[in-house]
Amino acid sequence: MKLLITGGAGFMGSNFIHYLLNNYPDYQIVNFDKLTYAGNLDNLSHVENNKNYQFIQGDIASQADLKKLKKHKFDALVNYAAETHVDRSILSPLEFSHTNALGTHELLEFTRRGQAKKMIQISTDEVFGETQTKEFFEDSPMRPNSPYSASKAAGDLMCAAYVRTFKTPVIVAHSCNFYGPYQYPEKFIALSVTNLIQGKKIPIYGSGSNVREWIYTQDHCRAIDLLLHQAETGRVFNIGTQERFTNLEIAEIILKKFNLDKSRLEFIQDRPGHDFRYAVNSDKLKKLGWQPQTKFMQGIEQTIKWYQEHQSWWRKLQDKNYQQYYQAQYKAKGLS
Ligand code: NAD
Ligand code: DAU
């Protein structure tokens, strides 16, 4: 099988490339990535000499860059390429439309032209908006609230339109929050762990009562493996674990693992428009035979250990105090 992984130099894309090369050593993999601040070829240093792996730099929203792939025909394309950080989407929203809406659209055209036999669109539970108590199903209405989630919803809606109008073979997966190795240390869990290792505090937005559902990297890779090999195209799947915690609960779990107390929490100004709670129903995927295997308490331990053992990987990425930076920018733009 020959696979195109877009955004393969990012957090989940690189985890999936490692997963594929370990589980399907005969597959040929092309990683197409623009290398934004979140793209990091260090994530793939172990596989860069693998004869079945190739890296091509390019922007999924650029037709000229996509032409670099013209001699290839792929059995499938898995699109991980995106602008992904909600705080950044509040400060620079247009970049999010460029990649998440237009870039996804270009990849649909790429698939429609027959350059990939099918496309898997990696999307998010955030497109459904927030819910106080319910779970979202695959056909729940999209009610995105941030420029990030609105741009992801735009990409997903175009996928639905291509399935219906052109019968383009696409599968869309709405996932809950990922955590694990290689996550850029601006995201909550990676930031909390790397801050504590450096003797800093965990920044908590607002009261810390917002709820997220968490999935370990390997469980998400196994879900995409199943969709790639067994799911019918034209379908939509949620990927979740039902392991839902408030941000304060997450911070307290991490503090406990470090034997630290609550004096290492810092409550700071809330994110503008901050969604209260996400929760997805994943029964449809479970019927295909998938179950999460890593409980949060085990996954967080493995994650902390990974960040402790890979300090040279993340220390060079932490060029600024993200929270001070975002807060100053929100203030400057009148968003606080
Ligand atoms: P990430 O931010 O770590 O990496 C994104 C990658 O995409 C980077 O390598 C970057 O260089 C690349 N990229 C960005 N713009 C590009 C462009 N125009 N052309 C080509 N490459 C480009 O991302 P992640 O957190 O691993 O998320 C991967 C996917 O999963 C995204 O689609 C995201 O929306 C989705 N998702 C993420 C989470 C999460 O918790 N992180 C949860 C659910 C869904
Ligand atoms: O739900 C899936 C989504 O999860 C993905 O689609 C996004 O790409 C991904 O970034 C993530 O979005 P979140 O906004 O949920 O993730 P983040 O790690 O930024 O924040 C998780 C929660 O923690 C959220 O409620 C905000 C809060 N938070 C975050 C940061 C960075 C804090 O309290 N303090 C922080 O410093």
Side-chain angles (χ1 to χ4, degrees):
M1 224 184 187
K2 188 166 177 179
L3 299 178
L4 173 61
I5 309 296
T6 50
F11 163 46
M12 266 316 297
S14 61
N15 272 283
F16 192 59
I17 290 175
H18 284 293
Y19 173 93
L20 286 171
L21 290 169
N22 285 334
N23 289 282
Y24 303 99
D26 296 339
Y27 282 15
Q28 288 173 48
I29 292 161
V30 175
N31 172 12
F32 183 82
D33 195 298
K34 185 177 174 180
L35 296 185
T36 66
Y37 78 96
N40 184 354
L41 291 178
D42 287 355
N43 301 5
L44 295 154
S45 55
H46 298 310
V47 302
E48 65 192 7
N49 295 322
N50 186 313
K51 66 177 176 18
N52 285 336
Y53 168 77
Q54 187 189 351
F55 173 71
I56 298 174
Q57 186 167 6
D59 179 343
I60 58 166
S62 157
Q63 291 179 3
D65 284 0
L66 287 170
K67 283 199 181 120
K68 295 182 192 173
L69 297 167
K70 70 172 185 273
K71 67 171 190 218
H72 299 274
K73 280 255 184 300
F74 296 98
D75 294 296
L77 140 63
V78 187
N79 180 27
Y80 288 91
E83 287 295 336
T84 62
H85 196 48
V86 175
D87 293 299
R88 288 181 191 255
S89 84
I90 297 165
L91 298 173
S92 311
L94 284 172
E95 287 166 29
F96 284 69
S97 292
H98 173 83
T99 293
N100 302 354
L102 181 60
T104 300
H105 197 170
E106 287 292 353
L107 294 180
L108 286 165
E109 278 295 303
F110 183 92
T111 308
R112 183 159 87 104
R113 285 196 296 272
Q115 282 186 261
K117 286 189 194 149
K118 63 178 154 184
M119 168 169 163
I120 300 191
Q121 167 70 354
I122 307 297
S123 190
T124 169
D125 55 5
E126 299 202 13
V127 297
F128 300 119
E130 64 188 353
T131 172
Q132 299 292 318
T133 51
K134 290 187 203 143
E135 287 186 331
F136 292 115
F137 289 81
E138 285 80 357
D139 58 357
S140 295
M142 289 196 196
R143 293 204 173 93
N145 293 314
S146 71
Y148 163 69
S149 52
S151 66
K152 289 295 288 185
D156 295 353
L157 287 171
M158 196 56 80
C159 289
Y162 269 56
V163 167
R164 164 91 184 222
T165 309
F166 305 117
K167 310 224 168 348
T168 309
V170 184
I171 294 168
V172 177
H174 298 289
S175 182
C176 65
N177 286 52
F178 310 146
Y179 70 102
Y182 298 113
Q183 186 162 36
Y184 198 86
E186 65 185 346
K187 303 274 177 9
F188 184 53
I189 287 186
L191 181 69
S192 300
V193 171
T194 53
N195 271 9
L196 292 185
I197 294 173
Q198 295 172 95
K200 299 183 196 165
K201 294 185 176 183
I202 299 181
I204 308 276
Y205 291 162
S207 64
S209 56
N210 302 62
V211 176
R212 295 291 182 270
E213 178 169 346
W214 294 94
I215 186 167
Y216 190 60
T217 43
Q218 287 302 301
D219 281 328
H220 192 265
C221 289
R222 289 175 35 259
I224 301 306
D225 179 351
L226 191 69
L227 296 185
L228 181 63
H229 293 101
Q230 290 184 37
E232 235 177 85
T233 55
R235 300 184 76 194
V236 177
F237 291 87
N238 287 342
I239 308 178
T241 56
Q242 290 182 310
E243 293 216 84
R244 298 167 190 147
F245 300 97
T246 66
N247 295 333
L248 201 51
E249 285 168 336
I250 296 282
E252 284 170 358
I253 290 169
I254 297 174
L255 281 177
K256 209 163 174 195
K257 298 281 175 199
F258 278 86
N259 284 321
L260 292 169
D261 63 29
K262 290 184 191 172
S263 65
R264 298 291 284 277
L265 298 179
E266 185 179 15
F267 290 87
I268 60 172
Q269 190 198 308
D270 210 349
R271 171 187 278 172
H274 194 177
D275 277 338
F276 175 63
R277 176 178 174 274
Y278 306 133
V280 284
N281 179 293
S282 310
D283 289 351
K284 193 170 164 186
L285 183 65
K286 287 183 180 153
K287 281 191 193 127
L288 272 189
W290 176 85
Q291 280 287 346
Q293 289 177 353
T294 307
K295 297 299 288 179
F296 186 78
M297 294 310 278
Q298 180 195 346
I300 194 71
E301 217 159 89
Q302 289 167 200
T303 303
I304 292 171
K305 187 163 183 277
W306 190 87
Y307 282 92
Q308 280 168 331
E309 289 174 354
H310 293 80
Q311 298 199 25
S312 61
W313 179 85
W314 56 264
R315 279 189 187 267
K316 59 185 158 197
L317 303 175
Q318 281 206 323
D319 56 349
K320 57 166 80 87
N321 179 327
Y322 290 110
Q323 293 322 331
Q324 272 173 19
Y325 171 73
Y326 295 137
Q327 304 258 308
Q329 291 290 314
Y330 293 152
K331 208 165 170 197
K333 289 172 195 267
L335 290 164
S336 45

